[in-house]
Amino acid sequence: MEKRLIFLSVIYFCFYCAGQEIKIPDNFSGHAIPKVESEEWFVLNHSEDSYAVKKDNDRLVVEKTSYYKKNSELEIEEGKLIGENKGEWEEHYTFSPKKVKKK
């Protein structure tokens, strides 16, 4: 009985996924992946273009943004977590407490 239920679940999932419509926006274009270390690869790899990706009404929305955000902050009950983006291998994370404890 358990195997039958798993089998039916897998079949249902396959048909559900196959029925999804994927619509690529008209202003998007496809390109071949450039050869590593080529001039085209270098230009793409060092681009400051930023894209925002979000889910809106069960749709995936990708929009080009006009900024390049280097730092992220997350407010939590005890204070603030701060992440600084200094490149691929140079992230820096700090915690700024709301209350400073006395020694």
Side-chain angles (χ1 to χ4, degrees):
M1 180 65 181
E2 218 174 279
K3 289 181 182 179
R4 180 181 283 176
L5 183 61
I6 292 172
F7 177 74
L8 290 175
S9 298
V10 169
I11 295 297
Y12 173 76
F13 180 74
C14 289
F15 281 110
Y16 177 77
C17 291
Q20 299 295 316
E21 179 183 344
I22 298 173
K23 182 173 183 337
I24 298 173
D26 296 334
N27 61 345
F28 275 55
S29 60
H31 298 279
I33 298 173
K35 183 178 177 184
V36 175
E37 301 293 334
S38 68
E39 185 176 330
E40 183 183 4
W41 175 84
F42 184 83
V43 170
L44 291 174
N45 199 32
H46 291 83
S47 172
E48 289 194 5
D49 290 341
S50 296
Y51 293 88
V53 180
K54 62 184 176 182
K55 184 178 178 183
D56 185 23
N57 293 327
D58 288 333
R59 295 184 65 214
L60 185 65
V61 179
V62 180
E63 300 172 328
K64 190 170 184 178
T65 62
S66 60
Y67 67 93
Y68 182 74
K69 189 172 183 179
K70 294 187 179 229
N71 298 336
S72 298
E73 296 181 357
L74 176 64
E75 291 277 345
I76 59 175
E77 189 175 320
E78 296 83 16
K80 186 188 301 185
L81 295 170
I82 304 166
E84 296 179 53
N85 181 0
K86 297 182 178 184
E88 186 174 0
W89 302 105
E90 296 184 40
E91 291 84 14
H92 182 74
Y93 302 98
T94 55
F95 176 71
S96 176
K98 286 184 180 178
K99 297 179 183 175
V100 179
K101 294 183 179 180
K102 295 179 182 178
K103 290 186 178 181

XYZ file of all heavy atoms in Angstrom:
860
model
N 0.820 -1.188 0.000
C 0.000 0.000 0.000
C 0.873 1.264 0.000
O 0.580 2.213 -0.691
C -0.922 -0.044 1.228
C -1.826 1.147 1.351
S -2.976 1.163 -0.019
C -3.876 2.614 0.322
N 1.943 1.241 0.808
C 2.836 2.389 0.889
C 3.534 2.646 -0.452
O 3.678 3.785 -0.879
C 3.879 2.138 1.979
C 4.217 3.376 2.767
C 5.128 3.048 3.924
O 4.620 2.584 4.951
O 6.339 3.256 3.756
N 3.968 1.570 -1.117
C 4.639 1.721 -2.417
C 3.685 2.306 -3.438
O 4.075 3.128 -4.262
C 5.168 0.371 -2.897
C 6.350 -0.127 -2.113
C 6.841 -1.442 -2.652
C 7.998 -1.966 -1.825
N 8.481 -3.254 -2.315
N 2.427 1.879 -3.391
C 1.431 2.373 -4.347
C 1.210 3.875 -4.125
O 1.124 4.641 -5.084
C 0.118 1.613 -4.183
C -0.957 2.096 -5.153
C -2.238 1.370 -4.981
N -2.099 0.050 -5.599
C -3.019 -0.871 -5.549
N -4.133 -0.677 -4.888
N -2.833 -2.022 -6.156
N 1.135 4.296 -2.886
C 0.943 5.704 -2.566
C 2.130 6.549 -3.043
O 1.955 7.616 -3.630
C 0.739 5.892 -1.063
C 0.450 7.307 -0.593
C -0.833 7.831 -1.227
C 0.343 7.340 0.918
N 3.326 6.056 -2.827
C 4.529 6.770 -3.292
C 4.539 6.847 -4.810
O 4.809 7.895 -5.392
C 5.806 6.086 -2.753
C 5.891 6.275 -1.231
C 7.050 6.653 -3.424
C 6.992 5.490 -0.573
N 4.211 5.735 -5.474
C 4.181 5.702 -6.933
C 3.168 6.713 -7.472
O 3.468 7.479 -8.394
C 3.853 4.289 -7.423
C 3.727 4.186 -8.907
C 4.855 4.231 -9.714
C 2.485 4.077 -9.514
C 4.751 4.149 -11.084
C 2.369 4.001 -10.886
C 3.497 4.034 -11.670
N 1.968 6.751 -6.903
C 0.938 7.685 -7.365
C 1.354 9.137 -7.099
O 1.085 10.018 -7.920
C -0.395 7.378 -6.682
C -1.063 6.073 -7.125
C -2.305 5.820 -6.291
C -1.403 6.114 -8.600
N 2.026 9.364 -5.979
C 2.499 10.716 -5.680
C 3.538 11.173 -6.698
O 3.523 12.318 -7.152
C 3.107 10.770 -4.275
O 2.132 10.462 -3.320
N 4.457 10.281 -7.067
C 5.486 10.613 -8.054
C 4.849 10.898 -9.411
O 5.204 11.874 -10.089
C 6.537 9.485 -8.151
C 7.450 9.692 -9.347
C 7.347 9.402 -6.860
N 3.898 10.085 -9.818
C 3.210 10.293 -11.112
C 2.468 11.630 -11.101
O 2.553 12.403 -12.059
C 2.230 9.124 -11.405
C 2.997 7.821 -11.594
C 1.348 9.423 -12.602
C 3.942 7.819 -12.778
N 1.761 11.916 -10.012
C 1.036 13.181 -9.909
C 2.006 14.351 -10.016
O 1.763 15.319 -10.730
C 0.266 13.251 -8.590
C -0.374 14.585 -8.346
C -1.534 14.957 -9.017
C 0.199 15.500 -7.466
C -2.109 16.195 -8.813
C -0.363 16.736 -7.254
C -1.520 17.080 -7.924
O -2.079 18.302 -7.718
N 3.128 14.291 -9.290
C 4.122 15.357 -9.304
C 4.677 15.563 -10.711
O 4.842 16.693 -11.165
C 5.249 15.035 -8.316
C 6.310 16.085 -8.262
C 6.063 17.295 -7.627
C 7.546 15.882 -8.850
C 7.044 18.278 -7.575
C 8.523 16.855 -8.807
C 8.267 18.054 -8.162
N 4.954 14.473 -11.428
C 5.495 14.579 -12.797
C 4.509 15.284 -13.720
O 4.885 16.154 -14.498
C 5.845 13.197 -13.334
S 7.289 12.474 -12.534
N 3.232 14.919 -13.644
C 2.235 15.556 -14.501
C 2.006 17.003 -14.098
O 1.787 17.869 -14.941
C 0.917 14.780 -14.482
C 0.948 13.553 -15.354
C 0.937 12.295 -14.791
C 1.019 13.664 -16.735
C 0.981 11.161 -15.590
C 1.071 12.545 -17.541
C 1.054 11.292 -16.967
N 2.074 17.289 -12.807
C 1.892 18.654 -12.330
C 3.006 19.549 -12.861
O 2.764 20.650 -13.347
C 1.869 18.679 -10.799
C 1.767 20.052 -10.225
C 0.553 20.735 -10.216
C 2.886 20.699 -9.698
C 0.451 22.005 -9.704
C 2.794 21.983 -9.179
C 1.576 22.626 -9.178
O 1.487 23.883 -8.672
N 4.242 19.083 -12.787
C 5.382 19.867 -13.271
C 5.358 20.025 -14.782
O 5.726 21.064 -15.312
C 6.697 19.219 -12.833
S 6.965 19.336 -11.063
N 4.939 18.990 -15.488
C 4.914 19.041 -16.951
C 3.869 20.032 -17.445
O 3.989 20.575 -18.535
C 4.641 17.659 -17.519
N 2.851 20.293 -16.652
C 1.779 21.191 -17.063
C 2.065 22.657 -16.808
O 1.261 23.509 -17.158
N 3.185 22.986 -16.218
C 3.511 24.373 -15.908
C 3.945 25.110 -17.176
O 4.689 24.588 -17.979
C 4.627 24.442 -14.870
C 4.279 23.802 -13.563
C 3.149 24.516 -12.852
O 3.131 25.742 -12.783
N 2.212 23.767 -12.337
N 3.477 26.337 -17.296
C 3.846 27.161 -18.450
C 5.008 28.068 -18.066
O 4.981 28.721 -17.031
C 2.659 28.015 -18.879
C 2.973 28.915 -20.049
C 1.810 29.821 -20.414
O 0.693 29.554 -19.981
O 2.051 30.787 -21.141
N 6.032 28.074 -18.888
C 7.185 28.938 -18.660
C 7.168 30.003 -19.744
O 7.263 29.697 -20.923
C 8.504 28.140 -18.702
C 8.512 27.102 -17.597
C 9.694 29.082 -18.584
C 9.680 26.158 -17.649
N 7.020 31.260 -19.342
C 6.988 32.358 -20.299
C 8.198 33.245 -20.065
O 8.358 33.815 -18.991
C 5.709 33.176 -20.140
C 5.632 34.292 -21.161
C 4.313 34.984 -21.121
C 4.146 36.060 -22.147
N 5.281 36.688 -22.720
N 9.047 33.335 -21.034
C 10.224 34.192 -20.962
C 9.822 35.565 -21.493
O 9.251 35.674 -22.583
C 11.388 33.602 -21.794
C 11.770 32.241 -21.219
C 12.572 34.554 -21.815
C 12.781 31.489 -22.027
N 10.080 36.616 -20.723
C 9.695 37.966 -21.169
C 10.319 38.321 -22.519
O 11.405 37.858 -22.863
C 10.250 38.877 -20.062
C 10.391 37.992 -18.874
C 10.709 36.624 -19.411
N 9.615 39.162 -23.277
C 10.061 39.555 -24.615
C 11.387 40.304 -24.591
O 12.157 40.239 -25.539
C 8.997 40.419 -25.301
C 7.716 39.648 -25.549
O 7.783 38.401 -25.667
O 6.648 40.285 -25.610
N 11.669 41.025 -23.499
C 12.904 41.811 -23.457
C 14.103 41.000 -22.971
O 15.170 41.544 -22.787
C 12.710 43.063 -22.589
C 12.351 42.717 -21.156
O 11.977 41.592 -20.852
N 12.435 43.698 -20.282
N 13.950 39.697 -22.753
C 15.062 38.823 -22.389
C 15.604 38.169 -23.653
O 14.874 37.892 -24.587
C 14.610 37.742 -21.409
C 14.641 38.191 -19.976
C 13.971 39.323 -19.565
C 15.333 37.458 -19.039
C 13.989 39.734 -18.250
C 15.355 37.862 -17.711
C 14.681 38.998 -17.317
N 16.896 37.922 -23.657
C 17.499 37.245 -24.809
C 18.441 36.162 -24.304
O 19.009 36.276 -23.227
C 18.249 38.241 -25.687
O 19.270 38.875 -24.947
N 18.601 35.113 -25.089
C 19.479 34.014 -24.718
C 20.842 34.152 -25.369
O 20.966 34.672 -26.482
N 21.874 33.729 -24.662
C 23.236 33.800 -25.176
C 23.979 32.538 -24.781
O 23.701 31.933 -23.750
C 23.981 35.014 -24.605
C 23.374 36.323 -24.978
N 23.592 36.924 -26.181
C 22.516 37.131 -24.313
C 22.920 38.047 -26.236
N 22.249 38.195 -25.109
N 24.950 32.171 -25.577
C 25.801 31.032 -25.233
C 26.732 31.435 -24.092
O 27.105 32.599 -23.964
C 26.604 30.602 -26.453
N 27.101 30.483 -23.268
C 28.026 30.752 -22.176
C 29.407 31.004 -22.781
O 29.912 30.197 -23.551
C 28.066 29.568 -21.196
C 26.675 29.375 -20.580
C 29.118 29.787 -20.121
C 26.542 28.147 -19.737
N 30.034 32.135 -22.440
C 31.339 32.439 -23.035
C 32.443 31.524 -22.492
O 32.333 30.969 -21.403
C 31.597 33.888 -22.631
C 30.749 34.120 -21.438
C 29.577 33.198 -21.550
N 33.496 31.413 -23.267
C 34.654 30.609 -22.875
C 35.341 31.275 -21.679
O 35.506 32.495 -21.647
C 35.629 30.507 -24.053
C 36.818 29.632 -23.774
C 37.711 29.545 -24.997
C 38.931 28.707 -24.656
N 39.878 28.647 -25.747
N 35.710 30.466 -20.692
C 36.355 30.979 -19.486
C 37.636 31.723 -19.853
O 38.394 31.290 -20.713
C 36.655 29.821 -18.508
C 37.432 30.328 -17.293
C 35.369 29.154 -18.061
N 37.832 32.863 -19.196
C 38.985 33.746 -19.381
C 38.965 34.508 -20.707
O 39.933 35.193 -21.028
C 40.317 32.988 -19.235
C 40.516 32.309 -17.896
C 40.676 33.277 -16.725
O 41.107 34.422 -16.920
O 40.343 32.864 -15.608
N 37.887 34.404 -21.483
C 37.803 35.189 -22.717
C 37.422 36.627 -22.380
O 37.017 36.941 -21.255
C 36.754 34.589 -23.660
O 35.448 34.761 -23.119
N 37.533 37.529 -23.359
C 37.193 38.933 -23.133
C 35.708 39.079 -22.790
O 35.343 39.831 -21.882
C 37.526 39.749 -24.387
C 37.311 41.233 -24.196
C 37.738 42.034 -25.415
O 38.648 41.613 -26.129
O 37.135 43.098 -25.617
N 34.852 38.349 -23.500
C 33.413 38.401 -23.228
C 33.110 37.899 -21.813
O 32.294 38.469 -21.090
C 32.653 37.562 -24.256
C 31.154 37.614 -24.090
C 30.435 36.728 -25.078
O 31.087 35.999 -25.849
O 29.203 36.753 -25.063
N 33.787 36.837 -21.384
C 33.615 36.286 -20.040
C 34.016 37.314 -18.986
O 33.331 37.502 -17.991
C 34.459 35.018 -19.902
C 34.461 34.415 -18.532
C 33.538 33.567 -17.999
C 35.445 34.619 -17.516
N 33.885 33.218 -16.726
C 35.057 33.853 -16.403
C 36.612 35.353 -17.449
C 35.802 33.816 -15.234
C 37.351 35.325 -16.276
C 36.935 34.560 -15.190
N 35.145 38.007 -19.215
C 35.636 39.006 -18.279
C 34.629 40.142 -18.113
O 34.345 40.581 -17.006
C 36.988 39.560 -18.740
C 37.597 40.519 -17.764
C 38.315 40.059 -16.669
C 37.427 41.880 -17.926
C 38.870 40.944 -15.750
C 37.976 42.774 -17.016
C 38.699 42.300 -15.931
N 34.059 40.611 -19.220
C 33.085 41.710 -19.175
C 31.855 41.285 -18.369
O 31.370 42.033 -17.509
C 32.686 42.147 -20.601
C 31.506 43.101 -20.573
C 33.869 42.797 -21.298
N 31.344 40.094 -18.623
C 30.170 39.607 -17.893
C 30.485 39.355 -16.421
O 29.685 39.659 -15.537
C 29.637 38.326 -18.536
C 28.999 38.481 -19.903
C 28.662 37.113 -20.479
C 27.753 39.350 -19.829
N 31.635 38.793 -16.144
C 32.018 38.440 -14.785
C 32.242 39.667 -13.909
O 32.093 39.602 -12.695
C 33.278 37.569 -14.806
C 33.478 36.810 -13.531
O 32.521 36.434 -12.873
N 34.724 36.578 -13.171
N 32.603 40.793 -14.511
C 32.877 42.007 -13.750
C 31.779 43.064 -13.930
O 31.984 44.230 -13.618
C 34.244 42.575 -14.146
C 35.369 41.704 -13.699
N 35.778 40.609 -14.417
C 36.136 41.742 -12.587
C 36.770 40.023 -13.773
N 37.003 40.678 -12.666
N 30.636 42.652 -14.386
C 29.522 43.571 -14.572
C 28.934 43.975 -13.224
O 28.912 43.198 -12.276
C 28.436 42.894 -15.410
O 27.284 43.701 -15.442
N 28.470 45.203 -13.129
C 27.793 45.653 -11.917
C 26.284 45.668 -12.107
O 25.562 46.284 -11.324
C 28.322 47.012 -11.488
C 29.738 46.942 -10.953
C 30.162 48.195 -10.218
O 29.339 49.116 -10.032
O 31.341 48.253 -9.813
N 25.782 44.991 -13.148
C 24.338 44.867 -13.329
C 23.773 44.065 -12.169
O 24.348 43.070 -11.739
C 24.001 44.160 -14.647
C 24.322 45.017 -15.857
O 24.451 46.240 -15.700
O 24.433 44.454 -16.957
N 22.645 44.512 -11.648
C 22.007 43.831 -10.534
C 20.571 43.490 -10.911
O 19.904 44.262 -11.601
C 21.996 44.721 -9.292
O 23.297 44.978 -8.862
N 20.137 42.342 -10.455
C 18.774 41.892 -10.718
C 18.098 41.548 -9.403
O 18.717 40.964 -8.521
C 18.770 40.676 -11.645
C 19.260 41.002 -13.031
C 20.610 40.947 -13.340
C 18.380 41.406 -14.008
C 21.068 41.276 -14.596
C 18.826 41.735 -15.277
C 20.175 41.667 -15.565
O 20.628 41.989 -16.808
N 16.830 41.929 -9.284
C 16.032 41.570 -8.117
C 15.116 40.428 -8.518
O 14.481 40.479 -9.581
C 15.213 42.769 -7.654
N 15.078 39.398 -7.703
C 14.218 38.242 -7.968
C 13.252 38.124 -6.804
O 13.662 38.120 -5.646
C 15.053 36.951 -8.096
C 14.150 35.760 -8.363
C 16.091 37.089 -9.190
N 11.958 38.059 -7.127
C 10.959 37.935 -6.069
C 9.772 37.112 -6.553
O 9.589 36.917 -7.755
C 10.488 39.304 -5.608
C 9.804 40.122 -6.700
C 9.445 41.505 -6.205
C 8.854 42.329 -7.354
N 8.534 43.680 -6.940
N 9.001 36.623 -5.595
C 7.793 35.860 -5.904
C 6.611 36.784 -5.659
O 6.470 37.348 -4.581
C 7.713 34.625 -5.014
C 6.554 33.728 -5.333
C 6.577 32.494 -4.445
C 5.379 31.625 -4.728
N 5.327 30.470 -3.835
N 5.762 36.961 -6.671
C 4.614 37.855 -6.578
C 3.391 37.147 -7.135
O 3.342 36.836 -8.331
C 4.909 39.145 -7.348
C 3.823 40.182 -7.201
O 3.073 40.130 -6.206
O 3.713 41.050 -8.095
N 2.405 36.887 -6.286
C 1.181 36.168 -6.696
C 1.501 34.859 -7.408
O 1.005 34.581 -8.493
C 0.304 37.056 -7.594
C -0.260 38.239 -6.849
O -0.535 38.146 -5.661
N -0.417 39.357 -7.533
N 2.366 34.062 -6.785
C 2.784 32.759 -7.321
C 3.461 32.859 -8.681
O 3.448 31.917 -9.465
C 1.599 31.783 -7.394
C 1.184 31.318 -6.015
O 2.051 31.299 -5.124
O 0.014 30.956 -5.837
N 4.062 33.998 -8.981
C 4.837 34.188 -10.205
C 6.233 34.630 -9.816
O 6.418 35.396 -8.876
C 4.208 35.250 -11.096
C 2.844 34.852 -11.627
C 2.279 35.885 -12.576
N 3.128 35.949 -13.746
C 3.355 37.058 -14.422
N 2.816 38.190 -14.061
N 4.143 37.047 -15.482
N 7.228 34.152 -10.541
C 8.607 34.568 -10.315
C 8.864 35.819 -11.139
O 8.686 35.824 -12.355
C 9.572 33.447 -10.725
C 11.037 33.701 -10.419
C 11.248 33.767 -8.906
C 11.895 32.608 -11.007
N 9.258 36.889 -10.479
C 9.481 38.173 -11.141
C 10.969 38.507 -11.066
O 11.549 38.524 -9.982
C 8.647 39.293 -10.465
C 8.901 40.628 -11.134
C 7.167 38.939 -10.490
N 11.586 38.764 -12.221
C 12.992 39.148 -12.292
C 13.047 40.539 -12.907
O 12.550 40.759 -14.007
C 13.804 38.157 -13.167
C 15.263 38.572 -13.220
C 13.648 36.734 -12.660
N 13.634 41.464 -12.164
C 13.715 42.839 -12.634
C 15.144 43.349 -12.508
O 15.833 43.041 -11.537
C 12.818 43.750 -11.795
C 11.364 43.382 -11.837
C 10.544 44.181 -10.835
O 11.065 44.537 -9.757
O 9.378 44.427 -11.145
N 15.559 44.120 -13.481
C 16.870 44.749 -13.393
C 16.751 45.930 -12.437
O 15.797 46.691 -12.500
C 17.335 45.226 -14.768
C 18.764 45.674 -14.791
C 19.246 45.896 -16.198
C 20.722 46.256 -16.181
N 21.235 46.443 -17.522
N 17.695 46.048 -11.524
C 17.668 47.141 -10.563
C 18.727 48.174 -10.918
O 19.652 47.895 -11.682
C 17.905 46.621 -9.127
O 19.195 46.023 -9.070
C 16.852 45.621 -8.724
N 18.585 49.347 -10.352
C 19.510 50.434 -10.691
C 20.595 50.626 -9.637
O 21.278 51.621 -9.636
C 18.725 51.737 -10.853
O 18.055 52.039 -9.647
N 20.721 49.682 -8.717
C 21.735 49.824 -7.685
C 22.484 48.511 -7.501
O 22.014 47.460 -7.877
C 21.098 50.247 -6.360
C 20.214 49.182 -5.765
C 20.711 48.268 -4.835
C 18.889 49.069 -6.152
C 19.901 47.278 -4.310
C 18.076 48.075 -5.638
C 18.584 47.190 -4.710
O 17.782 46.210 -4.203
N 23.629 48.632 -6.891
C 24.428 47.458 -6.543
C 24.621 47.508 -5.039
O 25.417 48.294 -4.540
C 25.772 47.488 -7.273
C 26.630 46.278 -6.989
C 26.318 45.055 -7.561
C 27.716 46.359 -6.146
C 27.087 43.940 -7.293
C 28.502 45.249 -5.883
C 28.169 44.045 -6.467
O 28.935 42.938 -6.203
N 23.854 46.730 -4.318
C 23.898 46.760 -2.856
C 25.038 45.885 -2.371
O 25.077 44.702 -2.643
C 22.566 46.275 -2.299
C 22.443 46.473 -0.820
C 21.047 46.150 -0.353
C 20.917 46.414 1.125
N 19.599 46.142 1.625
N 25.943 46.477 -1.639
C 27.096 45.728 -1.162
C 26.886 45.184 0.242
O 27.458 44.186 0.607
C 28.337 46.616 -1.195
C 28.727 46.992 -2.608
C 30.037 47.712 -2.638
C 30.385 48.048 -4.069
N 31.685 47.694 -4.448
N 26.073 45.841 1.061
C 25.905 45.419 2.450
C 24.460 44.994 2.707
O 23.528 45.499 2.084
C 26.274 46.546 3.406
C 27.718 46.960 3.271
O 28.547 46.185 2.824
N 28.018 48.186 3.633
N 24.295 44.090 3.658
C 22.974 43.633 4.066
C 22.857 43.766 5.572
O 23.834 43.563 6.294
C 22.765 42.173 3.667
O 22.824 42.030 2.278
N 21.656 44.103 6.033
C 21.409 44.215 7.463
C 20.142 43.467 7.814
O 19.185 43.465 7.053
C 21.258 45.684 7.869
C 22.511 46.495 7.667
C 22.350 47.937 8.106
O 21.231 48.328 8.515
O 23.335 48.673 8.037
N 20.163 42.828 8.985
C 18.996 42.102 9.470
C 18.764 42.485 10.922
O 19.608 42.249 11.780
C 19.208 40.587 9.347
C 18.092 39.712 9.905
C 16.791 39.929 9.126
C 18.498 38.258 9.882
N 17.620 43.125 11.183
C 17.245 43.500 12.541
C 16.702 42.264 13.250
O 15.826 41.582 12.727
C 16.160 44.582 12.528
C 16.639 45.917 12.042
C 17.330 46.724 13.128
O 17.193 46.392 14.322
O 18.015 47.696 12.774
N 17.244 41.970 14.421
C 16.730 40.894 15.261
C 16.476 41.482 16.652
O 16.830 42.637 16.921
C 17.682 39.683 15.321
C 19.063 40.073 15.858
C 17.818 39.029 13.950
C 19.991 38.908 16.061
N 15.867 40.694 17.515
C 15.460 41.186 18.826
C 16.628 41.761 19.631
O 16.508 42.791 20.274
C 14.799 40.057 19.607
C 14.143 40.505 20.891
C 13.404 39.376 21.564
O 12.754 38.590 20.862
O 13.491 39.304 22.791
N 17.779 41.119 19.583
C 18.918 41.539 20.395
C 19.776 42.620 19.745
O 20.682 43.152 20.370
C 19.814 40.326 20.717
C 19.133 39.269 21.562
C 18.287 38.315 20.731
O 18.451 38.269 19.493
O 17.451 37.630 21.324
N 19.563 42.893 18.475
C 20.398 43.888 17.804
C 20.307 43.776 16.291
O 19.252 43.497 15.744
N 21.433 43.975 15.630
C 21.465 43.988 14.167
C 22.635 43.144 13.667
O 23.761 43.279 14.150
C 21.627 45.421 13.686
C 21.526 45.600 12.192
C 21.872 47.005 11.746
C 20.990 48.047 12.364
N 21.253 49.404 11.827
N 22.350 42.266 12.687
C 23.401 41.519 12.003
C 23.753 42.288 10.741
O 22.874 42.650 9.966
C 22.935 40.112 11.647
C 22.636 39.187 12.813
C 21.958 37.918 12.305
C 23.911 38.840 13.551
N 25.035 42.520 10.513
C 25.484 43.302 9.361
C 26.456 42.459 8.543
O 27.439 41.946 9.068
C 26.177 44.606 9.812
C 25.231 45.413 10.703
C 26.639 45.415 8.606
C 25.907 46.526 11.455
N 26.156 42.299 7.258
C 27.030 41.584 6.342
C 27.591 42.540 5.311
O 26.839 43.230 4.635
N 28.892 42.596 5.208
C 29.547 43.476 4.232
C 30.095 42.632 3.092
O 30.834 41.684 3.317
C 30.691 44.244 4.895
C 30.240 45.184 5.982
C 31.408 45.897 6.629
O 32.215 46.495 5.888
O 31.518 45.826 7.861
N 29.727 42.976 1.872
C 30.182 42.275 0.689
C 31.422 42.982 0.153
O 31.340 44.068 -0.391
C 29.083 42.249 -0.369
C 29.495 41.501 -1.608
O 30.602 40.995 -1.708
N 28.600 41.433 -2.559
N 32.569 42.338 0.305
C 33.821 42.929 -0.181
C 34.422 42.081 -1.287
O 35.618 42.070 -1.495
C 34.804 43.068 0.984
C 34.324 44.013 2.059
C 35.331 44.147 3.153
C 34.838 45.135 4.188
N 35.804 45.373 5.229
N 33.582 41.360 -2.005
C 34.060 40.499 -3.075
C 33.773 39.046 -2.762
O 33.256 38.705 -1.708
N 34.118 38.203 -3.697
C 33.773 36.788 -3.593
C 34.343 36.116 -2.354
O 33.708 35.280 -1.736
C 34.252 36.048 -4.850
C 33.817 34.616 -4.894
C 34.168 33.941 -6.196
O 34.749 34.585 -7.083
O 33.857 32.759 -6.318
N 35.554 36.462 -1.957
C 36.205 35.772 -0.844
C 36.418 36.679 0.366
O 37.145 36.329 1.284
C 37.548 35.196 -1.304
C 37.381 34.266 -2.440
C 37.691 34.515 -3.752
C 36.843 32.950 -2.414
N 37.386 33.438 -4.529
C 36.860 32.449 -3.735
C 36.334 32.128 -1.408
C 36.404 31.184 -4.064
C 35.881 30.860 -1.744
C 35.922 30.404 -3.056
N 35.809 37.849 0.388
C 36.089 38.795 1.456
C 34.829 39.311 2.143
O 34.660 40.503 2.332
C 36.871 39.981 0.897
C 38.231 39.601 0.360
C 39.012 40.811 -0.105
O 38.961 41.849 0.555
O 39.663 40.692 -1.156
N 33.935 38.403 2.549
C 32.760 38.831 3.292
C 33.146 39.117 4.739
O 34.076 38.536 5.270
C 31.660 37.757 3.261
C 31.037 37.564 1.901
C 31.841 36.633 1.020
O 32.723 35.928 1.533
O 31.591 36.604 -0.182
N 32.412 40.019 5.354
C 32.685 40.371 6.747
C 31.343 40.481 7.461
O 30.441 41.174 6.994
C 33.428 41.703 6.806
C 33.794 42.124 8.185
N 34.807 41.525 8.897
C 33.280 43.080 8.996
C 34.904 42.098 10.079
N 33.986 43.043 10.162
N 31.197 39.786 8.578
C 29.951 39.781 9.323
C 30.177 40.332 10.722
O 31.152 39.974 11.384
C 29.390 38.358 9.418
C 29.161 37.746 8.072
C 30.092 36.879 7.516
C 28.034 38.058 7.327
C 29.897 36.322 6.267
C 27.831 37.508 6.076
C 28.762 36.641 5.548
O 28.562 36.098 4.317
N 29.290 41.224 11.166
C 29.384 41.780 12.512
C 28.004 41.767 13.156
O 26.978 41.693 12.468
C 29.918 43.228 12.500
O 29.093 44.019 11.642
C 31.336 43.296 12.013
N 27.997 41.864 14.472
C 26.759 41.957 15.237
C 26.807 43.228 16.059
O 27.787 43.486 16.768
C 26.596 40.738 16.153
C 25.392 40.833 17.038
C 24.121 40.715 16.519
C 25.541 41.071 18.388
C 23.010 40.821 17.333
C 24.436 41.171 19.217
C 23.166 41.041 18.683
N 25.783 44.038 15.957
C 25.690 45.280 16.713
C 24.542 45.138 17.715
O 23.373 45.179 17.326
C 25.430 46.445 15.754
O 25.255 47.641 16.467
N 24.848 44.943 19.008
C 23.797 44.731 20.000
C 23.032 46.018 20.310
O 23.585 47.126 20.212
C 24.556 44.243 21.230
C 25.919 44.776 21.077
C 26.181 44.867 19.601
N 21.750 45.868 20.692
C 20.951 47.031 21.084
C 21.383 47.541 22.458
O 21.444 48.734 22.696
C 19.463 46.665 21.112
C 18.858 46.511 19.744
C 17.385 46.245 19.822
C 16.801 46.097 18.425
N 15.386 45.786 18.444
N 21.663 46.609 23.347
C 22.087 46.981 24.689
C 23.535 46.543 24.895
O 23.875 45.416 24.622
C 21.217 46.292 25.745
C 19.764 46.701 25.683
C 18.969 45.951 26.732
C 17.494 46.286 26.627
N 16.708 45.491 27.560
N 24.349 47.451 25.369
C 25.738 47.128 25.647
C 25.812 46.614 27.090
O 25.373 47.299 28.024
C 26.658 48.349 25.458
C 28.090 47.997 25.785
C 26.544 48.873 24.040
N 26.330 45.419 27.257
C 26.440 44.825 28.603
C 27.663 45.383 29.305
O 28.744 45.509 28.718
C 26.540 43.308 28.506
C 25.288 42.677 27.981
C 25.403 41.167 27.964
C 24.129 40.528 27.454
N 24.210 39.083 27.435
N 27.482 45.699 30.575
C 28.604 46.176 31.367
C 29.391 44.986 31.892
O 28.827 43.959 32.224
C 28.103 47.004 32.540
C 27.413 48.271 32.098
C 26.911 49.054 33.297
C 26.184 50.308 32.832
N 25.642 51.059 33.945
N 30.699 45.134 31.959
C 31.547 44.053 32.464
C 31.499 44.005 33.972
O 31.409 44.983 34.649
C 32.989 44.242 31.986
C 33.135 43.994 30.519
C 34.599 44.063 30.160
C 34.770 43.769 28.666
N 36.150 43.791 28.258
